[in-house]
Amino acid sequence: MNNNEDKKTSNGGLLPFFFMKGSFKFIVWQFLSFFVLLILGKVLFLIYHFNQFSKLIIEDQIGIFIHGLGLDISIVSYLLIVPFFLILFENLTDNYSEMLFRIAKIYHLIFCLLISCIIVVDLELYRTWGIKIDDSPMKYLAHPSEMFASVAASPFYILVPILVLLIIVSLFLNLYIFKIKYENNQKSKILATAVILLLLASLIIPIRGGFQLAPINQSSAYFSTNYFANQAAVNPVFNLFHTLNRKSSGENPFQYLNKNIAEGYLKSYFVENEVIENQIVTGKPNILLITWESLTSKALNQQMEVLPNFKKLINEGIFFDNCYASGDRSDKGLVAILSGYPAQPITSIITLPQKTKKLPVISKDLIKNGYSTAWYYGGEPEFANMKSYILTGQFQKLITKNDFPEQFTEDTKWGANDEVVFSRLFNDLGQMQQPFFVNYFTLSSHEPFEIPNHQVIKGEDETSKFLNAHHFTDEQLGNFIEKAKTQDWYQNTLIIITADHGHRLPITASKKDEFHIPLLFIGGALKAKPMIISQVCSQNDIAKSVLAQLSIQDSSYNWSRNLFAKQKNPSAYFAFNNGFGLVQTDKWFTFDNHTKQVIQKSARVQSSD
């Protein structure tokens, strides 16, 4: 037998795999290897989140695998396209080469390793953000140091062995498939080509999930009223590539109503009745806006004293106890507070400078009225494109990580901690031109909750670290306010304290609780007696409320409302990953856009609402 004949009977080519006894084992083995890896990933997901999985009823536990099968098969079918084309190319050229064999082997191995990495990232992303892996982390890739700081609290001692396990499985599958020797049973090139093309074309059926009009998507895996069960059923590889494709298509998946009808509904929600009298002493007070990283009402309402100083300050000012964050990330929260612009479920406007430049920003309006402005942050403002937005807001002075000596930024991964920045802020305010508007964005209560020499709330679990970090920031806030009260500038200063967003910790069953945040107005410029306002409101409302108190024109803030006005339809909107929620006076709901259905609601919510 000559060399060419040897190649046709060896494992050096792809076509021998395809036409052999056992019927297309090459494709079958490729399919099974990818499928097994995905199912293993799903099992690992359930083990990693066993606390939530164990609370499911048995029907939901089984349903995770059954109802997620369509997405699993769909993504595997996508991955088979390249092997089919390699076989087709080999058949048409009659080229049974080692090169094509190696291409197939490398392709298989690369995607097995890629699937393994996606599975591991998905495990931790769901734990920290409560979402399946999608394009959300992509905007942080340009800032690797901040990304590392954000994930530093992750249990690498668990994640790394899981990744190693998946890599070993990937290598085993790859070696097993490509070491088998097959005989070439091909008898007709024309017949072979026809069969290959037919099978290749038939992949469209499992790829789109069947013969139905709309192709398969994440909603096909949703089957339960339990949010975790639905998320566990969603294939992470499918979810990632689907969201990347959706983003590139430019479609708006939230277009449910005609524009005119939608605007009609909105107008009814922005009707104000009685306006409460002015709450400040002077026409142009200094304004200090403290944006507290991940502050949540759940931390405030803990039985243990997590925020003793904040609770004390509630008795000195105006406290809004029914306020909600607009989004779930800092980049969304800053825009909501400073521009009164609501968060989006699948993107963040702060990543689009060409759009943020068109937004109103409270700092720009205050500059026009004689204010000096400054923005304080102990980290790097380039993260999540914050610097672009802050500079667009015409903040005249930025104090960030680079403005602190290295010894003050090396004890945490993010930068200067809240004790350091509060101290710098106090020293600077006495020298600042008045009236001033200063926004201080805190840092220490961000993951991984690294707090030097402060462990008042004991425990190494994530919730204890989270609460301890907030206790640390609360302590620094209390020290700052006490010192500020001794300064002349304090008597003419309005201090606003709120969160950039809420947090999943401490974990509760309600999605709404993750967005419930404190909002407090204090300071010498307040003339009102201490009060608690329980009208439903949003952090979106801060911008318009401040400008209204200063009698500054505020019509550009279309999505913001006056906190000190009686609203006809008080409500608060919030957005999470591909979903949103709405809180009203006596009812609330959350809506998942994957399934186009309400996933949580209060008892009074009706389908007609």
Side-chain angles (χ1 to χ4, degrees), residues 431-455:
Q431 310 299 320
M432 200 168 292
Q433 177 185 332
Q434 300 187 44
F436 57 71
F437 171 63
V438 175
N439 180 201
Y440 168 35
F441 182 22
T442 74
L443 188 65
S444 293
S445 48
H446 196 293
E447 294 93 345
F449 316 125
E450 294 178 321
I451 309 301
N453 304 317
H454 185 95
Q455 194 173 10

Side-chain angles (χ1 to χ4, degrees), residues 270-425:
F270 285 85
V271 177
E272 296 177 354
N273 294 329
E274 176 187 358
V275 177
I276 303 174
E277 65 178 13
N278 195 283
Q279 304 296 315
I280 57 176
V281 176
T282 60
K284 283 190 176 182
N286 302 313
I287 302 171
L288 171 59
L289 172 61
I290 299 175
T291 306
W292 190 327
E293 170 68 53
S294 302
L295 179 62
T296 170
S297 293
K298 293 185 290 185
L300 180 65
N301 297 329
Q302 289 290 299
Q303 290 185 349
M304 67 182 82
E305 287 291 348
V306 178
L307 306 174
N309 290 292
F310 190 95
K311 285 185 176 180
K312 178 181 176 182
L313 293 173
I314 289 175
N315 299 319
E316 301 179 14
I318 304 174
F319 180 56
F320 298 85
D321 67 351
N322 209 1
C323 184
Y324 291 84
S326 185
D328 53 359
R329 307 302 301 170
S330 299
D331 49 339
K332 299 177 182 181
L334 289 180
V335 178
I337 294 170
L338 297 175
S339 295
Y341 191 81
Q344 302 88 59
I346 58 176
T347 187
S348 173
I349 196 171
I350 204 172
T351 64
L352 305 169
Q354 69 273 23
K355 291 190 175 184
T356 54
K357 70 180 182 181
K358 300 177 183 178
L359 293 177
V361 186
I362 188 173
S363 50
K364 292 197 288 188
D365 287 307
L366 292 176
I367 288 172
K368 294 176 184 176
N369 286 269
Y371 277 74
S372 62
T373 59
W375 191 74
Y376 283 69
Y377 178 58
E380 296 184 7
E382 292 82 6
F383 186 60
N385 213 37
M386 290 190 295
K387 186 177 181 180
S388 169
Y389 172 69
I390 295 301
L391 292 176
T392 299
Q394 298 177 4
F395 279 90
Q396 297 159 334
K397 180 181 180 182
L398 271 65
I399 301 297
T400 62
K401 180 178 180 179
N402 293 333
D403 294 293
F404 295 92
E406 187 174 347
Q407 64 264 32
F408 293 130
T409 62
E410 60 186 10
D411 59 348
T412 67
K413 294 181 176 64
W414 278 102
N417 66 52
D418 292 346
E419 180 180 16
V420 173
V421 184
F422 263 121
S423 178
R424 170 69 182 265
L425 177 64

